[in-house]
């Protein structure tokens, strides 16, 4: 059942993104920033954690989940380190995922055989 919940919630997030692409003149970058900021805002208001508890990876894997992770990291760092946690919390919470994506992107760039576009 958890797979179905994750699929439905993740699919709904993707559906919202597709609707924004199709019906607005927002660029993909603006949609990305909107989703991240939505994750931060919903986490700050305490509204995203129940969605995470319900859907698991369906709410954490999409970009809204990245905003949630940033907000939770800042919250924990502020509780531990005070004001400086505002600046360090998001980075420390997301460092593992960002580091892994950089490593995998590097490996993919070594293995890929790019072709000329002309």
């Amino acid at each position: 059942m958890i797979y179905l919940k994750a699929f439905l919630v993740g699919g709904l997030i993707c559906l919202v993104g597709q609707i924004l692409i199709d019906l607005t003149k927002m660029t993909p970058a603006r949609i990305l920033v909107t989703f991240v900021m939505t994750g931060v805002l919903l986490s700050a208001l305490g509204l995203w954690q129940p969605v995470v508890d319900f859907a698991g990876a369906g709410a954490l894997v999409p970009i809204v989940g990245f905003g949630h992770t940033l907000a939770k990291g800042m919250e924990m760092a502020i509780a531990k380190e005070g004001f400086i946690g505002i600046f360090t919390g998001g980075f420390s919470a997301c460092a593992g995922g960002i580091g892994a994506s950089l490593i995998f992107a590097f490996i993919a760039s070594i293995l890929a055989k790019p072709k000329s576009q002309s």
Side-chain angles (χ1 to χ4, degrees), residues 41-91:
L41 180 64
L42 291 175
S43 293
L45 296 174
L47 301 174
W48 195 248
Q49 189 60 47
V51 178
V52 170
D53 294 340
F54 173 77
L60 288 175
V61 173
I63 196 67
V64 182
F66 180 71
H68 172 72
T69 303
L70 286 171
K72 294 304 271 184
M74 284 186 208
E75 182 182 330
M76 290 188 305
I78 290 169
K80 183 178 176 184
E81 301 170 17
F83 181 75
I84 197 73
I86 293 172
F87 305 105
T88 62
F91 293 118

